[in-house]
Amino acid sequence: MKRFERVLAVALPVAQPNFDTDQILPARYLQKPRANDFGAYLFRDLRFRSDGSEVPDFPLNQPAYRDARIVVAEANFACGSSREHAVWALGDHGFRAVIAPSFGDIFLSNALKNGLLPVVLPSDVVAPMLRALLAQPGSRVAVDLEAQTVTGPDRSVHAFAIDPFSKRCLLQGQDELDYTLDQLGHIEAFERRVAAGSA
Amino acid sequence: MFDRIWRSHQIVERDDGQALLYVDRHLVQDGSAPAFEMLRQRGLVPRAPERTFSTPDHYVPTDSRDLATVGDPEKRGMAQALIDDSARAGITCFGLGDRRQGIVHVVSPEQGLSWPGAVIACGDSHTSTHGALGALAFGIGATEVSHVLATQSLWQRKPKTMRIAVDGRLGSGVSAKDIVLAVIAKIGAAGAVGHVVEYAGSAIRDLSIEGRLTVCNMSIEAGARAGMIAPDDATFEYLAGRPYAPAGRDWDDALLRWRALPSDPAAGFDREVSLDAGAIEPMVTWGTSPEDALPITARVPDPAGASSPERRRAMERALAYMGLQPGTLLTDIPIDRVFIGSCTNGRIEDLRSAAASVAGRKVAPGVEAWVVPGSGLVKAQAEGEGLDRIFVEAGFQWRHPGCSMCLGTNGDVVGPGQRCASTSNRNFVGRQGPGARTHLLSPAMAAAAALAGRLTDVRQLASGTVRP
């Protein structure tokens, strides 16, 4: 997994609640092998017309936002389908962090396993941040995982919570599976207890 | 109940509060090729193939049973990969030639694989379905699927709990689908984020197991980690004698365990919500989130009356996509397509309910209406009951089982700008195909819409007062 320490980058505003994973990555690309650049399909039907030309109004197509590496979104970002491809699409396009008041539970879990940092901040912090990003396209936001802080376009600093294990995995670029495989003894013991009817 | 299942499956707990949960049942469908690939890259093999069951559903054709008819080699490859990966790992796979094939969330309960008290995982968000039998069941992503394949376990942060009580009697023409749409309309698409929902109350008790499966299926549309219903005699009757349900002495032992699962009536929940079943009407969505649901008697809402500027913008965006004007009667909205099926409403009772609406009438001119049974066994049973003839004679297409037009991964899509009355679970922008407009509703309401050529109150259809 890709390591995450800190990112200072242009932030892309997604000023819509309940922005579902079908919008992030439409279902018709789910059969593409992982070796594909899923960044090309990111926000596909919002970014591009059916003939492949860009939708000029879509923020990511505007010069000021093109180098965005952070998404700032409204509540329940990436709800819906469990497709990990939504995380791959954001990551392949270069996004490293998503800031929102809440996330779809499955997306949150998928993001943490792919080096994409989901940051939960209260809506009274996110709403003015979104307004600032829309008013000043190209504004930068900083996310520091070690310090667990977000610095907004107005230089205001906001602390965020993350569980220590996920933080360690992200900082070190370590996969959870390696850690679990070290626990196989516990899993085997549990299976023996189940087999003996005591679990 | 949730606490009991959680504690009995906890292998270890980390100092950050996350628990490693044992997964009793892992369901796998044909979106799982990336997870098997991750496993191969690490040189690992599935740890407990006997606890794992698979069936292709997302990429299978519904106009034939021949994978070769799937034109796109990558799509065909997804279904084939599942069959090959399963065979290699010793995982039981209900393949295309098998009458047990179908949508994984229809097949598993039908086969008696979803047990009360079990932890069930599947790489699909609608895994919440299986909670209807008293299981803790939730959807996971590809990396987690590979983690379950490799270790038969998952790290989970303990969610909060929410009880949604629905009391009273449902009116005629009102079904489980209407209950869950009313719940989502009330609490919102993010209303249960971070929570496991337990549905309770007399109206939930009175539902058949199939109705409960419909309710739990859409828990994810309210953001819930899982939805569940305490097992009762109806649950045990449903499971008894199914192919993979415990049998003989194992059944007696299981019953003892299962009867001890339901929550203490005094159990505390982090949040409580209640609904009056008698006040629920047949529901239909008008927008692009399942929370945009209203009684069929209502009108398309006006964004001017929204509770906040954010909500107003969301409503305006939804109405623009849906091509609807505020103030329009929902029953004045014409439709082009009808889809009856999916893991939400592809079971035999759903098809019976839709067929009862049809009752000798014809699909309206210009409407293309499909019925896609949830499994081969549902299809066979429906044919045994003559439901297929009712549908076909009315002008519906009677197709083979799969996820089909719910998300269109197999190519079954609604055209751009077309409006579809659909018994599926998501009305997201482009969900049924780029530019497709989806109205979610119950099977009886979908059938009524097919006959009238527009969204229709099934209660008027039943009383014969529907306009021609």
Side-chain angles (χ1 to χ4, degrees):
Chain A
M1 184 169 80
K2 202 169 177 180
R3 291 174 55 177
F4 189 106
E5 288 170 338
R6 68 180 64 79
V7 171
L8 169 63
V10 171
L12 177 78
V14 176
Q16 295 185 36
N18 305 319
F19 193 84
D20 56 77
T21 52
D22 276 78
Q23 306 317 301
I24 300 172
L25 190 281
R28 64 185 183 279
Y29 301 112
L30 292 178
Q31 76 283 0
K32 298 280 179 196
R34 179 64 190 99
N36 274 249
D37 170 20
F38 277 88
Y41 316 130
L42 176 68
F43 308 131
R44 178 64 180 73
D45 294 338
L46 298 166
R47 257 169 91 197
F48 302 103
R49 300 193 184 91
S50 53
D51 64 5
S53 63
E54 287 187 354
V55 175
D57 287 351
F58 190 70
L60 200 53
N61 291 333
Q62 295 166 18
Y65 294 116
R66 278 198 196 264
D67 294 328
R69 294 287 173 265
I70 296 168
V71 171
V72 179
E74 287 186 21
N76 203 23
F77 181 75
C79 60
S81 159
S82 60
R83 61 191 67 165
E84 199 156 310
H85 311 62
V87 172
W88 300 342
L90 285 162
D92 286 1
H93 197 276
F95 286 98
R96 298 303 321 275
V98 187
I99 300 167
S102 60
F103 291 91
D105 284 336
I106 307 176
F107 175 86
L108 188 94
S109 183
N110 290 342
L112 289 170
K113 290 168 174 60
N114 284 275
L116 179 73
L117 175 63
V119 177
V120 177
L121 287 178
S123 46
D124 60 2
V125 171
V126 174
M129 199 180 291
L130 271 171
R131 283 197 294 274
L133 295 173
L134 290 163
Q136 291 287 334
S139 299
R140 288 150 81 90
V141 169
V143 180
D144 187 329
L145 177 57
E146 184 62 59
Q148 292 182 221
T149 57
V150 170
T151 306
D154 62 353
R155 309 274 174 158
S156 60
V157 179
H158 311 278
F160 66 88
I162 182 170
D163 73 76
F165 179 80
S166 297
K167 180 177 178 178
R168 197 166 65 235
C169 284
L170 283 164
L171 285 171
Q172 299 173 354
Q174 191 203 354
D175 286 341
E176 196 176 61
L177 183 54
D178 293 329
Y179 176 80
T180 313
L181 290 171
D182 287 341
Q183 314 273 324
L184 272 185
H186 292 294
I187 297 171
E188 285 163 2
F190 183 90
E191 286 174 333
R192 282 194 296 275
R193 286 206 305 280
V194 172
S198 63
Chain B
M1 176 166 64
F2 162 71
D3 266 326
R4 287 196 178 107
I5 299 176
W6 184 276
R7 271 187 275 118
S8 66
H9 287 78
Q10 188 170 304
I11 299 167
V12 286
E13 189 175 4
R14 231 159 40 198
D15 52 8
D16 64 359
Q18 288 210 35
L20 187 63
L21 289 188
Y22 196 72
V23 175
D24 298 301
R25 186 75 69 218
H26 188 196
L27 305 172
V28 184
Q29 34 76 5
D30 48 358
S32 307
F36 279 98
E37 183 56 33
M38 289 175 195
L39 214 61
R40 270 194 294 277
Q41 283 171 3
R42 284 170 170 270
L44 297 167
V45 294
R47 174 177 178 77
E50 74 285 358
R51 291 182 175 276
T52 312
F53 289 80
S54 74
T55 189
D57 52 13
H58 283 62
Y59 293 95
V60 298
T62 60
D63 53 355
S64 84
R65 292 286 77 178
D66 183 3
L67 257 192
T69 63
V70 180
D72 182 334
E74 284 178 341
K75 289 176 190 266
R76 196 165 61 237
M78 292 296 278
Q80 192 58 48
L82 179 76
I83 293 161
D84 296 345
D85 288 330
S86 299
R88 213 173 291 139
I91 292 167
T92 300
C93 177
F94 307 124
L96 263 191
D98 191 321
R99 278 175 17 132
R100 296 170 296 178
Q101 178 271 340
I103 307 172
V104 68
H105 307 309
V106 174
V107 169
S108 178
E110 187 174 78
Q111 288 299 315
L113 286 163
S114 305
W115 296 0
V119 169
I120 301 175
C122 173
D124 186 278
S125 59
H126 291 105
T127 307
S128 58
T129 310
H130 310 270
L133 296 152
L136 174 59
F138 45 83
I140 54 179
T143 301
E144 288 185 316
V145 170
S146 71
H147 190 281
V148 177
L149 285 171
T151 69
Q152 205 57 30
S153 65
L154 266 179
W155 290 102
Q156 290 284 300
R157 169 168 300 286
K158 197 169 185 177
K160 293 180 187 161
T161 56
M162 178 189 294
R163 175 159 54 192
I164 298 179
V166 189
D167 279 294
R169 286 177 63 94
L170 293 176
S172 76
V174 181
S175 71
K177 182 64 163 284
D178 303 303
I179 292 179
V180 71
L181 286 173
V183 165
I184 300 165
K186 182 182 172 93
I187 69 173
V193 167
H195 290 73
V196 164
V197 171
E198 181 174 337
Y199 299 93
S202 59
I204 300 292
R205 283 281 137 242
D206 288 347
L207 287 176
S208 67
I209 296 305
E210 299 206 348
R212 296 179 193 182
L213 288 162
T214 299
V215 170
C216 287
N217 172 276
M218 286 190 71
S219 302
I220 180 73
E221 309 316 331
R225 193 82 188 92
M228 53 204 311
I229 295 172
D232 58 12
D233 286 341
T235 316
F236 310 140
E237 277 167 33
Y238 174 89
L239 279 167
R242 291 192 181 262
Y244 289 94
R249 264 199 58 187
D250 289 346
W251 172 260
D252 298 334
D253 293 346
L255 262 192
L256 280 177
R257 289 197 311 274
W258 295 348
R259 286 193 192 282
L261 278 171
S263 302
D264 188 309
F269 289 81
D270 296 306
R271 237 185 111 191
E272 304 243 12
V273 173
S274 62
L275 274 82
D276 171 11
I280 300 174
E281 293 188 67
M283 302 287 286
V284 61
T285 62
W286 54 267
T288 54
S289 165
E291 72 180 20
D292 300 334
L294 281 171
I296 183 65
T297 50
R299 291 171 186 271
V300 174
D302 190 341
S307 53
S308 69
E310 290 79 18
R311 179 64 185 150
R312 178 170 52 77
R313 281 197 300 275
M315 289 174 72
E316 285 168 352
R317 203 178 295 117
L319 290 181
Y321 180 80
M322 293 297 290
L324 294 174
Q325 293 301 317
T328 307
L329 275 171
L330 292 174
T331 48
D332 280 343
I333 298 175
I335 50 132
D336 308 295
R337 306 288 294 267
V338 171
F339 173 58
I340 297 173
S342 85
C343 58
T344 311
N345 281 131
R347 285 170 281 269
I348 189 68
E349 289 177 14
D350 300 317
L351 303 192
R352 285 181 193 141
S353 160
S357 283
V358 173
R361 285 171 279 228
K362 298 284 183 203
V363 170
V367 172
E368 183 176 332
W370 290 17
V371 183
V372 182
S375 74
L377 291 176
V378 169
K379 181 168 185 279
Q381 182 165 357
E383 287 168 356
E385 295 177 14
L387 304 184
D388 60 321
R389 287 198 307 280
I390 293 175
F391 288 122
V392 169
E393 283 164 16
F396 286 83
Q397 291 189 29
W398 178 248
R399 300 176 75 96
H400 294 281
C403 300
S404 185
M405 212 191 281
C406 174
L407 80 171
T409 36
N410 71 337
D412 292 349
V413 294
V414 175
Q418 281 194 325
R419 195 179 290 288
C420 182
S422 178
T423 67
S424 54
N425 39 57
R426 289 186 175 137
N427 51 348
F428 296 162
V429 169
R431 170 75 178 182
Q432 294 190 292
R437 295 161 168 166
T438 304
H439 295 275
L440 302 177
L441 30 54
S442 72
M445 287 279 287
L451 304 174
R454 54 187 168 72
L455 298 179
T456 299
D457 189 336
V458 68
R459 297 169 299 186
Q460 290 186 355
L461 187 78
S463 65
T465 56
V466 69
R467 287 167 295 170

